[in-house]
Amino acid sequence: MTQPAPDGSGPTVWTRFVAIGDSFTEGMCDDDPTFGHDGEYAGWADRLASHLSEIARRQGLDFGYANLAVRGRKLADVVGPQLEDALSLQPDLVSIVGGGNDILRPKADLDGLAARLEAAVARIRATGADVLMATPVDPADAPLVKATRGRAAIHSANIWSIARRNGAHVIDQWGLHALRDWRMWSEDRIHMTTEGHRRVALAALEALGHTPAETDWATPLEPAPPIGRREALQANAQWAKEYVGPWVHRRLTGRSSGDHRQAKRPDVTPLDPS
């Protein structure tokens, strides 16, 4: 259960954290072996849980964590089956990040997405649990995906409004300029590297009212050496062949990268802070 700070004035201490969402919350492509679970990814939510576990441990409290997110899931899956399973675990903190796979579709119903997301947040808050949300990253510099910038911006604005009305916390990825460095992203240019997930976890910790011990998470890396036009064109062509083509094929055939996959941490279980 949620615990106040020892003197009643400091940050909240949570003891049952459940994460729901898509590939971002599942942790792709953070394959740090110190966090891996039988070949599965870790990710920002696992890393945040580790920080929260350490905070709870210092207060003499037990801590449990579940991660129900599955790659490829759209918002209907997140606020549907995942949310039902999450609430059955009686969490005191729920992270809900969804809609990214929806807004990639040209005909995304942004008002409908916002309404479903707000209804889910309100349900969680009605149980007494706290809610953590996240804006999209600004895709201004992303090939192809930058075409969705307008939809992503509207979705981001809706998230802030939903959070304000319902007393939720928000990870401001849109304003985290360090994430616009391609060294924070994996080869598929869709999912973050371990370093990207690390920074998001620390941004999440601050969004929840705690001060991260690591202070570099918002600081951009030193500029990367420029690459030539030919090298950039070759890299883009290789990326399109290896990642864009298969993604388009899955969309056309009605398949998802998460088909037949189950949640990696379906139950609230202890998490070693180390």
Side-chain angles (χ1 to χ4, degrees), residues 75 102-103 105-116 151 155 158:
L75 186 64
D102 298 82
I103 63 178
R105 275 71 173 177
K107 296 183 179 180
D109 178 4
L110 296 172
D111 292 336
L113 290 175
R116 288 194 292 275
R151 296 196 292 276
H155 189 56
N158 286 337

Side-chain angles (χ1 to χ4, degrees), residues 51-243:
H51 291 300
L52 296 177
S53 179
E54 172 61 22
I55 291 168
R57 185 192 64 79
R58 291 199 300 263
Q59 301 299 326
L61 301 171
D62 293 330
F63 179 87
Y65 167 59
N67 188 322
L68 310 182
V70 177
R71 66 194 70 173
R73 295 295 190 258
K74 294 195 288 186
L75 186 64
D77 301 300
V78 177
V79 302
Q82 284 189 29
L83 178 60
E84 297 300 330
D85 290 344
L87 293 179
S88 73
L89 297 174
Q90 299 182 305
D92 58 14
L93 174 65
V94 177
S95 68
I96 175 169
V97 184
N101 290 315
D102 298 82
I103 63 178
L104 289 174
R105 275 71 173 177
K107 296 183 179 180
D109 178 4
L110 296 172
D111 292 336
L113 290 175
R116 288 194 292 275
L117 181 57
E118 182 153 23
V121 171
R123 280 193 65 193
I124 299 168
R125 294 291 289 135
T127 70
D130 289 306
V131 174
L132 175 65
M133 307 167 72
T135 71
V137 176
D138 185 350
D141 304 318
L144 296 184
V145 180
K146 65 183 176 183
T148 70
R149 192 185 190 205
R151 296 196 292 276
I154 293 172
H155 189 56
S156 182
N158 286 337
I159 286 170
W160 281 111
S161 297
I162 292 167
R164 177 182 53 80
R165 287 192 291 265
N166 294 274
H169 305 269
V170 179
I171 310 169
D172 183 14
Q173 293 193 107
W174 189 278
L176 187 51
H177 291 173
L179 294 180
R180 291 176 64 174
D181 188 316
W182 281 111
R183 289 168 291 180
M184 299 290 175
W185 297 85
S186 67
E187 291 182 354
D188 68 6
R189 304 184 185 181
I190 295 293
H191 302 104
M192 293 181 189
T193 61
T194 292
E195 177 62 12
H197 280 286
R198 182 188 74 86
R199 289 177 181 243
V200 171
L202 295 170
L205 189 62
E206 180 168 280
L208 290 172
H210 292 269
T211 301
E214 300 168 70
T215 60
D216 65 338
W217 58 271
T219 304
L221 298 174
E222 292 294 324
I227 62 173
R229 185 171 182 273
R230 172 178 287 186
E231 185 179 353
L233 289 173
Q234 290 176 338
N236 288 339
Q238 186 67 21
W239 169 70
K241 178 181 178 180
E242 291 189 20
Y243 298 104

